[in-house]
Amino acid sequence: MPELPEVETVVRTLRSLVLGKTIERVSVHLPRIIRQPDDIEQFKAQLAGQTIQDISRRAKFIQFFMDQDVLISHLRMEGRYGLYQSEEPMEKHTHVVFHFTDQSELRYRDVRQFGTMDLFPKGMETATGPLAKLGVEPLEESFTPDVLAKLLAGRSTKIKPLLLNQECIVGLGNIYVDESLFKAGIHPEKPAGELAREEVERLHESIVATLSEAVEQGGSSIKSYVNGQGEMGMFQQSLAVYGRKNEACVRCGAEIVRFVVGGRGTHICPVCQKK
């Protein structure tokens, strides 16, 4: 599933491709992708004639700001956007098509069919629905060591599941939590509330550094992720622990091990991240 760096990369690509384009009409070939409104014809009618004014990211969601409405899109496992000319053949598993007035089309393709789209009037997108209960953004200035310390204080939850909780910190998924904990030298099963101040500061620094580097490299092309132009991210070449079971640690040479924490496959160096 795309995490914060991958979604940020898609957003940046989409901004360069479709910002300022006006929607002539919308085709929906898989109605269950659309969750709000529950009337597909209403969804299509509302978007017709609107221009894409801005595109941004909130957590792992893509926000398309139109004239009157905001479209909230979640890619889930394998959702992809691509810009095409209207005469180009339609790929299999293309479920939603935004037909623009300049004869180009933004197509949403999703082999696994888990992606979602919600349409809200501007200003109402955070009142209900998928954006209503999201936590802090780890790449914003408001995310400080003090903020992280308050989120962890008194929590008996293991640190990894807590970091994956989108109501605490948004955008972090399995890959970047494993990488951040390794950088900080913290075992994923350590209770969050037991981290010393020095550990909290290291963890804060590692989260910001890991995500920032991944964004700059276009994310990680784990499995089938590509950005909005079909290009693969390169951060997977910099992964220190994730997906490197039985390989040597880049720091100490010990063997990377994999086990399960909170139902998620987890990679650590048992020497650098002592329990």
Side-chain angles (χ1 to χ4, degrees):
M1 179 184 294
E3 300 181 21
L4 185 155
E6 289 77 45
V7 178
E8 180 66 28
T9 301
V10 171
V11 165
R12 293 182 181 188
T13 306
L14 287 172
R15 284 178 61 87
S16 70
L17 294 175
V18 301
L19 212 59
K21 288 182 181 285
T22 299
I23 299 171
E24 184 176 85
R25 61 187 176 89
V26 180
S27 300
V28 178
H29 305 294
L30 186 68
R32 73 165 179 265
I33 295 285
I34 314 303
R35 301 193 305 182
Q36 169 69 29
D38 55 10
D39 184 338
I40 301 303
E41 294 307 314
Q42 181 185 343
F43 175 84
K44 294 192 289 186
Q46 276 186 234
L47 285 172
Q50 294 202 56
T51 298
I52 300 176
Q53 303 288 354
D54 196 11
I55 305 172
S56 64
R57 178 192 58 76
R58 176 71 171 108
K60 302 177 186 179
F61 294 89
I62 301 170
Q63 302 178 105
F64 295 86
F65 289 88
M66 312 289 183
D67 298 318
Q68 289 87 36
D69 297 307
V70 182
L71 177 66
I72 309 298
S73 172
H74 199 307
L75 302 175
R76 298 294 178 185
M77 298 292 288
E78 294 188 18
R80 301 181 189 177
Y81 282 101
L83 185 67
Y84 300 82
Q85 294 304 307
S86 58
E87 66 270 14
E88 292 185 72
M90 194 80 67
E91 291 182 280
K92 190 178 180 182
H93 305 297
T94 298
H95 304 309
V96 182
V97 181
F98 302 90
H99 306 267
F100 297 121
T101 55
D102 65 358
Q103 306 307 307
S104 63
E105 298 176 351
L106 181 63
R107 300 175 184 175
Y108 176 76
R109 184 172 179 265
D110 191 344
V111 175
R112 301 289 292 276
Q113 303 180 4
F114 291 153
T116 61
M117 293 184 189
D118 295 87
L119 189 64
F120 296 96
K122 267 186 178 178
M124 297 298 293
E125 66 272 12
T126 60
T128 60
L131 304 187
K133 296 183 179 180
L134 293 176
V136 298
E137 286 280 350
L139 290 182
E140 291 186 354
E141 291 184 3
S142 57
F143 180 62
T144 64
D146 286 340
V147 167
L148 179 58
K150 288 178 182 178
L151 288 172
L152 305 185
R155 301 287 193 105
S156 60
T157 308
K158 296 172 183 177
I159 185 61
K160 177 169 180 174
L162 189 141
L163 292 176
L164 290 171
N165 184 346
Q166 299 299 294
E167 292 186 14
C168 292
I169 304 173
V170 302
L172 282 169
N174 210 32
I175 298 172
Y176 299 107
V177 168
D178 279 5
E179 292 297 306
S180 296
L181 288 171
F182 170 76
K183 278 186 173 67
I186 297 170
H187 194 282
E189 292 184 316
K190 184 166 186 174
E194 293 184 12
L195 266 67
R197 177 66 189 196
E198 181 186 352
E199 291 177 303
V200 172
E201 291 180 355
R202 288 205 314 267
L203 180 58
H204 173 270
E205 182 181 359
S206 68
I207 289 172
V208 173
T210 299
L211 291 176
S212 298
E213 183 183 353
V215 168
E216 288 304 310
Q217 296 192 35
S220 302
S221 294
I222 302 298
K223 296 186 178 179
S224 59
Y225 164 75
V226 294
N227 71 8
Q229 290 179 303
E231 298 167 344
M232 300 180 71
M234 300 303 293
F235 187 72
Q236 74 275 4
Q237 296 181 9
S238 303
L239 296 175
V241 288
Y242 185 86
R244 298 189 62 241
K245 178 184 176 182
N246 299 330
E247 295 182 29
C249 172
V250 295
R251 282 184 187 162
C252 71
E255 189 174 279
I256 300 298
V257 299
R258 182 188 184 278
F259 56 103
V260 176
V261 179
R264 305 298 298 274
T266 301
H267 301 78
I268 71 164
C269 170
V271 174
C272 296
Q273 297 168 267
K274 287 186 170 61
K275 192 170 182 180

